[in-house]
């Protein structure tokens, strides 16, 4: 567990930040509401 | 090297929307009472590959009631979705489809419908009338009076009640019953029905023999009744309002 945690933390530190203006894609589901949500 | 599996379908992908359109068409064409439903949202989609160009698709759909009765010949795309303040009714449907060579077919569907909570409507619109039970005494009385009034003033075929579609009752500032109901033509004229309405038989199923009526009955402070009926099919649209009513 110690080794795994270290790897995970290292991965977080090495994560490439998104460029400015990046819009994350919408989640695949649920889809858009066409009229209104009850 | 094996090909990577295709990315899962998103709910707003064109293929998902195409499947949902087929599903909604199936649901409406297999419903025999109430109103047509329109797609509001694709809640979820799962695709189970069965082989080359053959998938089974599971859809979860959120639908909303329109103003078009299920017997109305109006195409769904021309039907208006009821507004929230009209006390909307939602349909939750699970649909299983098969897609073979790009063509969808529905294998099974299961739907439940429920009205929005009265509390939510009141919060947004305190004076809006709320949906009433279809067997509510005031509703049944209003529909009976409205159809009787319509038949007594229309020389065409005597109309019989098929079903009450929805009804709302307003208590303030006036006591009013709003009802919508489907009707069917009988083999009697209005005059023949006066003698023995019970003997009048519904005509064979044909779209032209059906109609849809909207009635408003003011109970207090005054007493008024208004009914408008539209007959479907090849008969021209008939709109009727008794003289002397609002």
């Amino acid at each position: 567990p110690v080794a795994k945690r270290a790897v995970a933390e290292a991965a977080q530190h090495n994560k490439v930040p998104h460029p400015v203006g990046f819009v994350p894609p919408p989640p695949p589901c649920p889809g858009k509401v066409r009229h209104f949500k009850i | 090297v094996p090909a990577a599996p295709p990315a899962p379908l998103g709910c707003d992908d064109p293929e998902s929307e195409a499947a949902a359109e087929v599903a909604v068409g199936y649901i409406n064409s297999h419903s025999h009472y109430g109103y047509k439903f329109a797609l509001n949202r694709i809640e979820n989609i799962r695709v189970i590959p069965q082989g080359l160009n053959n998938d089974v698709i599971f859809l979860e759909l959120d639908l909303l009631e329109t103003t078009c009765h299920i017997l109305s010949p109006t195409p769904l795309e021309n039907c208006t979705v009821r507004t929230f303040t009209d006390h909307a009714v939602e349909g939750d449907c699970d649909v299983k489809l098969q897609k073979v060579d790009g063509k969808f077919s529905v294998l099974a569907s299961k739907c439940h419908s429920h009205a929005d909570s009265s509390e939510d409507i009141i919060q947004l619109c305190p004076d809006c009338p709320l949906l009433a039970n279809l067997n509510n005494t005031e509703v049944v009385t209003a529909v009976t009076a409205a159809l009787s009034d319509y038949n007594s003033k229309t020389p065409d075929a005597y109309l019989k009640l098929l079903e009450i579609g929805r009804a709302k009752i307003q208590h303030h500032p006036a006591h009013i019953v709003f009802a919508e109901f489907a009707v069917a033509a009988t083999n009697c004229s209005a005059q023949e029905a006066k003698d023995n309405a019970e003997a009048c038989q519904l005509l064979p199923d044909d779209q032209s023999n059906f109609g849809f009526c909207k009635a408003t009955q003011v109970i207090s402070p005054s007493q008024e009744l208004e009914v408008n009926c539209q007959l479907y099919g090849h008969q021209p649209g008939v709109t009727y309002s008794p003289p002397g009513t609002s």
Side-chain angles (χ1 to χ4, degrees):
Chain A
V2 173
K4 278 186 181 174
R5 190 155 54 234
V7 168
E9 283 167 5
Q12 282 297 319
H13 285 300
N14 294 336
K15 204 173 171 185
V16 179
H18 290 304
V20 176
F22 172 80
V23 179
C29 282
K32 63 175 183 275
V33 172
R34 288 160 175 76
H35 302 283
F36 54 86
K37 185 68 188 156
I38 288 188
Chain B
V1 177
L9 269 185
C11 280
D12 287 335
D13 288 350
E15 189 175 343
S16 307
E17 298 196 339
E21 191 180 336
V22 172
V24 173
Y26 177 90
I27 290 163
N28 282 326
S29 66
H30 284 75
S31 176
H32 300 293
Y33 61 89
Y35 297 85
K36 295 184 184 186
F37 276 80
L39 180 65
N40 190 37
R41 178 154 85 163
I42 300 173
E43 297 288 345
N44 203 3
I45 182 166
R46 279 188 303 127
V47 181
I48 314 290
Q50 304 291 300
L52 189 64
N53 293 325
N54 185 352
D55 294 321
V56 167
I57 299 171
F58 292 91
L59 274 177
E60 290 174 36
L61 303 177
D62 174 37
L63 310 181
L64 284 173
E65 188 186 76
T66 70
T67 57
C68 290
H69 191 266
I70 204 75
L71 295 172
S72 166
T74 306
L76 179 62
E77 54 268 27
N78 294 341
C79 295
T80 307
V81 169
R82 288 190 188 275
T83 60
F84 182 80
T85 51
D86 198 14
H87 208 158
V89 172
E90 182 184 27
D92 293 317
C93 296
D94 293 319
V95 189
K96 181 182 178 184
L97 304 99
Q98 188 166 33
K99 186 185 179 192
V100 177
D101 295 331
K103 194 165 184 268
F104 295 101
S105 56
V106 175
L107 301 176
S109 71
K110 184 178 70 178
C111 294
H112 297 286
S113 65
H114 59 271
D116 188 19
S117 81
S118 299
E119 289 75 18
D120 289 352
I121 307 280
I122 291 169
Q123 224 171 24
L124 197 74
C125 178
D127 290 331
C128 280
L130 296 171
L131 275 178
N133 284 329
L134 300 180
N135 59 0
N136 176 293
T137 309
E138 286 185 336
V139 171
V140 174
T141 302
V143 168
T144 306
L147 186 54
S148 172
D149 189 73
Y150 182 87
N151 274 325
S152 70
K153 291 169 179 167
T154 311
D156 303 330
Y158 178 75
L159 301 179
K160 271 191 171 179
L161 178 67
L162 276 184
E163 65 164 20
I164 300 174
R166 62 163 27 222
K168 296 189 296 183
I169 299 179
Q170 177 181 295
H171 294 282
H172 302 286
H175 188 175
I176 306 174
V177 179
F178 303 92
E180 297 179 4
F181 53 97
V183 294
T186 65
N187 58 352
C188 294
S189 67
Q191 186 59 40
E192 289 167 339
K194 277 182 185 167
D195 302 328
N196 187 8
E198 293 301 314
C200 300
Q201 300 294 317
L202 294 180
L203 293 173
D205 277 6
D206 178 308
Q207 207 167 48
S208 63
N209 297 329
F210 297 120
F212 184 67
C213 303
K214 292 181 181 181
T216 303
Q217 185 176 37
V218 181
I219 295 171
S220 69
S222 59
Q223 290 198 328
E224 296 167 42
L225 177 64
E226 179 187 326
V227 56
N228 295 291
C229 292
Q230 182 200 7
L231 302 180
Y232 299 143
H234 65 260
Q235 301 181 42
V238 176
T239 302
Y240 171 75
S241 287
T245 58
S246 63

